[in-house]
Every structure is written in C-alpha cells, then in structure tokens.
Amino acid sequence: MHHEPLLDGLPLTGQIDRGAGPRRLCLPDENEEVLRPVEYVDKEIAGWLAQSSRAPGLWRCVLVSGC
C-alpha cells in the first residue's frame, strides 16, 4: 500500500532497529530532519521555514485523526 511508509514511519535504508526490522522515522521527526541541512546553510531561512510550514500540523492531523 502506498500510505504504509507515512503511517508506519519512513524506513531508513541500511539502519536496523532492535526488532531486526528497518529503523523508521515518524513524520514529525522527518520534518525536522529535512530542515536541519537548511539550518546549516542559513539559520534565518530555516527559522522562516519552521514558522511558516504547515507540515507539522498536517502530520498531526494525519497521525491523530486520519484526516
């Protein structure tokens, strides 16, 4: 199914968790990881992206209520 990576977390290639399955990153954490390299280049742009992005709210909506 196409939605499985979103609901179960994004699998991190080459990383294994304690259960011997692929280590996964949940959507809110993935959003932070995407912003991290931007912060290295320009902290102001990273701050603007973090404040203006609707993604965290959408992830909460999807994960909590399924909308």
Side-chain angles (χ1 to χ4, degrees), residues 7 13 26 36 39 47:
L7 299 177
T13 304
C26 67
R36 190 167 300 191
E39 187 176 349

Side-chain angles (χ1 to χ4, degrees):
M1 299 181 114
H2 297 292
H3 67 279
E4 284 182 25
L6 295 177
L7 299 177
D8 297 334
L10 301 166
L12 301 174
T13 304
Q15 296 188 29
I16 305 297
D17 68 6
R18 291 181 185 174
R23 185 171 162 243
R24 297 180 173 272
L25 195 61
C26 67
L27 288 173
D29 292 342
E30 175 65 24
N31 191 64
E32 288 180 25
E33 290 298 318
V34 168
L35 291 176
R36 190 167 300 191
V38 176
E39 187 176 349
Y40 292 142
V41 175
D42 191 319
K43 289 186 184 282
E44 288 182 29
I45 291 176
W48 176 79
L49 284 171
Q51 289 179 346
S52 63
S53 175
R54 293 178 44 214
L58 293 172
W59 300 147
R60 278 190 295 280
C61 178
V62 169
L63 295 173
V64 174
S65 64
C67 55

